[in-house]
């Protein structure tokens, strides 16, 4: 009798905790390209993020000795966020910081951990700080950073350290004072930057969750990866990932999600608009003229579903989002000194269409010179792919014999190029 009472009580308590879980969605923001940002520039980006339900930015930054504007831009970000009731936290980029910077890290965390725009890890909600909630701090790499040193130096301020960890097995016995972890395995890989065929799976997420043993896991969600610098020149095989990855999140229900990224144009995983005032590190060669705003359209229902614990997104109006590379993979570019990126042999020459439908309908795609193809698609979000044809890309959706939306992309697929660009062109059509 007593045992059964305890079991029922425990079930009720578990339900209470789960039903209050806040499920925040953050987006990784590269501060290193926004030296010239004003508070208004920050507010433009914040408003775009808020429009799809993103709760805050993880402010990826380098130390002042590398980027002398880091303190100023952190201050701008926190102020803009406060004005728009958005949340931010600092993500120390350990490509530039090291454990010898602990005193500075303590200083910065201490400066911001009580700021009104600081993001807290909370089992309740974003607007109230509860007894056990800590100010979130995170990283890119920096696995060995001692967070106990930071916590001990700030005894009056609770800190929740969710650093990026590269080897999930490290989490089982970590003595670094971490409270949870963030993974950077947002694309199919065997670890490090190894390229493997897709599709994306949750094998790394599962390893994190197992080794965290109940501590919060911040899962990465990314739409793409292509980079073409002389220091790094590869693709990850993630073409169907823009919605597949969110389907995985709805099944996995991690404690937090971090979108990777908001504005990393260099690796082609941005979802922001073009950010007119960011500085161009050379990535303009593949990012300019390649909008990704359609990924935000596609993700809004997934973010809502993730937060509510739903297994499927709810679609409220008929739309479609398409994405494709603008050259077939065998096209040889004529004036590219770097050569083709590693990994392209695994890519598929297809055009992707995610239909977002309130009722089933017929989707017709005419890709370049290929004959138009019509398929029946279900309600909800469904991704279908079509053989890529060189030329114009046209899409239409009909229901009960009547066309409900249609359009032609502003960007053609071409079979000639000067430099390699495997960043997708993303578009949206609405009824
Ligand atoms: C912390 O805040 C103080 C006071 O505003 C400021 O002087 C200092 O530069 C800040 N430290 C860092 C590392 O941002
Ligand atoms: C968050 O929790 C506090 C305390 O329970 C409550 O007063 C407030 O209305 C909640 N806010 C939201 C947005 O749910
Ligand atoms: C930032 O971009 C906007 C939009 O193009 C422009 O109006 C504004 O003047 C720019 N700000 C700066 C500081 O360049
Ligand atoms: C295209 O769709 C087919 C049929 O659903 C699927 O088997 C294939 O994996 C998809 N291709 C890519 C690259 O996602």
């Amino acid at each position: 009798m007593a045992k059964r009472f305890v079991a029922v009580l425990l079930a009720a308590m578990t339900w209470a905790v789960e039903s209050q879980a806040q499920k925040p969605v953050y987006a990784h923001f590269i501060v290193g390209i926004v030296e010239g940002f004003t508070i208004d520039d920050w507010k433009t980006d914040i408003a775009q993020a808020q429009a799809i339900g993103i709760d805050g930015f993880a402010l990826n930054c380098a130390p002042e000795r590398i980027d002398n504007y880091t303190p100023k831009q952190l201050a701008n970000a926190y102020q803009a966020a406060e004005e728009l009731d958005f949340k931010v936290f600092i993500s120390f980029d350990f490509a530039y910081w090291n454990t010898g910077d602990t005193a500075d890290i303590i200083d910065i965390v201490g400066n911001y951990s009580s700021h009104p725009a600081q993001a807290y890890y909370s089992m309740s909600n974003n607007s109230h700080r509860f007894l056990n909630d800590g100010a979130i701090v995170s990283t890119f790499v920096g696995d060995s950073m001692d967070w106990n040193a930071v916590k001990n130096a700030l005894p009056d301020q609770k800190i929740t350290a969710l650093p990026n960890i590269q080897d999930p097995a490290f989490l089982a016995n970590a003595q670094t004072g971490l409270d949870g972890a963030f993974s950077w395995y947002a694309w199919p890989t065997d670890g490090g930057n190894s390229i493997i065929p897709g599709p994306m799976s949750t094998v790394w997420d599962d390893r994190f969750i197992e080794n965290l043993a109940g501590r919060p896991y911040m899962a990465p969600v990314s739409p793409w990866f292509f980079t073409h610098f002389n220091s790094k020149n590869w693709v990850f095989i993630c073409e169907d990932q823009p919605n597949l990855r969110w389907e995985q999140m709805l099944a996995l229900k991690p404690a937090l999600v971090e979108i990777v990224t908001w504005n990393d144009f260099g690796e082609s995983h941005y979802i922001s608009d073009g950010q007119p005032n960011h500085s161009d590190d050379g990535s303009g060669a593949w990012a300019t003229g390649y909008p990704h705003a359609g990924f935000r359209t596609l993700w809004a229902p997934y973010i809502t579903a993730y937060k509510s614990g739903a297994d499927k997104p709810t679609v409220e109006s008929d739309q479609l989002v398409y994405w494709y590379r603008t050259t077939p993979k065998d096209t040889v570019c004529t004036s590219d000194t770097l050569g083709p990126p590693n990994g392209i042999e695994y890519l598929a020459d297809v055009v992707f269409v995610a239909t977002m439908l309130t009722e089933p309908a017929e989707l017709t795609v005419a890709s370049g010179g290929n004959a138009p193809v019509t398929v029946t698609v279900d309600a909800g979000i469904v991704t279908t792919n079509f053989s890529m044809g060189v030329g114009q890309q046209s899409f239409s959706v009909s229901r009960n014999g009547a066309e409900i939306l249609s359009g032609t992309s502003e960007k053609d697929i071409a079979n000639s190029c000067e430099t390699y660009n495997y960043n997708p062109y993303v578009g949206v059509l609405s009824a």
Side-chain angles (χ1 to χ4, degrees):
M1 196 61 185
K3 244 185 195 162
R4 179 183 292 169
F5 175 73
V6 169
V8 170
L9 187 67
L10 278 177
M13 285 167 62
T14 307
W15 176 83
V17 168
E18 279 175 1
S19 66
Q20 283 174 18
Q22 156 203 357
K23 301 284 182 183
V25 175
Y26 298 114
H28 200 82
F29 190 109
I30 307 295
V31 176
I33 61 164
V34 299
E35 174 172 9
F37 256 33
T38 60
I39 289 176
D40 280 345
D41 291 326
W42 280 100
K43 285 167 113 175
T44 300
D45 278 55
I46 289 171
Q48 273 168 32
Q50 285 179 315
I52 61 161
I54 292 174
D55 298 283
F57 287 147
L59 302 170
N60 180 98
C61 61
E64 193 175 353
R65 65 170 181 274
I66 307 276
D67 291 337
N68 62 7
Y69 51 88
T70 294
K72 175 168 183 240
Q73 291 304 340
L74 292 181
N76 282 353
Y78 271 86
Q79 185 179 331
E82 181 181 357
E83 289 178 26
L84 293 181
D85 201 17
F86 195 60
K87 301 296 168 200
V88 288
F89 60 89
I90 296 170
S91 182
F92 294 93
D93 187 335
F94 273 76
Y96 307 103
W97 298 87
N98 59 62
T99 51
D101 291 317
T102 301
D104 278 349
I105 290 173
I106 290 167
D107 227 23
I108 296 175
V109 172
N111 270 5
Y112 286 113
S113 58
S114 305
H115 193 285
Q118 170 65 42
Y120 297 98
Y121 178 65
S122 163
M123 289 304 287
S124 285
N125 68 39
N126 232 352
S127 45
H128 280 74
R129 194 175 165 185
F130 293 87
L131 199 58
N132 279 325
D133 301 336
I136 298 174
V137 57
S138 190
T139 61
F140 172 71
V141 299
D143 307 41
S144 62
M145 174 65 195
D146 180 13
W147 297 102
N148 283 319
V150 178
K151 292 174 176 181
N152 292 340
L154 301 169
D156 300 332
Q157 301 172 28
K158 187 161 191 304
I159 307 298
T160 296
L162 304 175
N164 171 212
I165 294 298
Q166 294 166 86
D167 176 7
F170 170 81
L171 293 165
N173 297 305
Q175 303 296 316
T176 55
L178 57 79
D179 298 285
F182 167 49
S183 162
W184 197 257
Y185 298 118
W187 311 275
T189 178
D190 281 337
N193 290 323
S194 62
I195 304 162
I196 61 172
M200 181 64 182
S201 78
T202 57
V203 47
W204 285 102
D205 305 295
D206 295 340
R207 289 175 195 157
F208 273 85
I209 289 168
E210 185 189 332
N211 284 285
L212 281 165
R215 290 169 291 175
Y217 174 50
M218 185 151 68
V221 171
S222 187
W224 203 264
F225 191 107
F226 159 67
T227 188
H228 194 54
F229 291 110
N230 55 16
S231 55
K232 50 181 195 180
N233 183 24
W234 77 87
V235 294
F236 280 127
I237 312 308
C238 48
E239 302 167 281
D240 56 348
Q241 186 168 315
N243 73 315
L244 172 63
R245 184 60 179 159
W246 273 111
E247 299 283 346
Q248 293 171 352
M249 292 301 102
L250 297 191
L252 200 67
K253 305 187 191 303
L256 310 93
V257 163
E258 186 170 321
I259 291 167
V260 176
T261 59
W262 179 255
N263 65 339
D264 191 332
F265 301 96
E267 294 181 353
S268 308
H269 39 63
Y270 55 96
I271 62 166
S272 70
D273 284 346
Q275 287 190 328
N277 303 326
H278 82 261
S279 47
D280 188 358
D281 54 4
S283 60
W286 53 93
T288 303
Y290 284 70
H292 285 188
F295 287 145
R296 299 203 306 275
T297 305
L298 177 63
W299 286 8
Y302 282 110
I303 290 173
T304 305
Y306 163 73
K307 290 184 175 203
S308 71
D311 296 323
K312 285 280 160 203
T314 302
V315 172
E316 271 153 18
S317 64
D318 293 314
Q319 285 182 301
L320 68 75
V321 176
Y322 56 83
W323 64 93
Y324 53 83
R325 302 188 329 269
T326 54
T327 47
K329 65 180 176 184
D330 290 338
T331 307
V332 175
C333 298
T334 51
S335 50
D336 192 312
T337 52
L338 287 183
N342 292 329
I344 59 169
E345 65 274 23
Y346 300 124
L347 294 173
D349 282 341
V350 296
V351 170
F352 291 88
V353 182
T355 37
M356 307 172 73
L357 299 175
T358 55
E359 302 285 342
E362 311 281 301
L363 165 67
T364 301
V365 173
S367 182
N370 296 347
V373 176
T374 299
V375 295
T376 301
V377 280
D378 280 337
I381 303 183
V382 176
T383 298
T384 314
N385 66 64
F386 300 84
S387 292
M388 182 184 276
V390 171
Q392 202 170 273
Q393 308 299 313
S394 299
F395 311 89
S396 69
V397 175
S398 301
R399 188 176 289 138
N400 307 322
E403 188 175 277
I404 57 170
L405 63 87
S406 70
T408 296
S409 173
E410 286 176 20
K411 189 90 177 169
D412 288 356
I413 292 178
N415 57 3
S416 65
C417 48
E418 288 184 355
T419 55
Y420 290 98
N421 189 352
Y422 291 90
N423 182 18
Y425 185 88
V426 185
V428 182
L429 295 172
S430 301

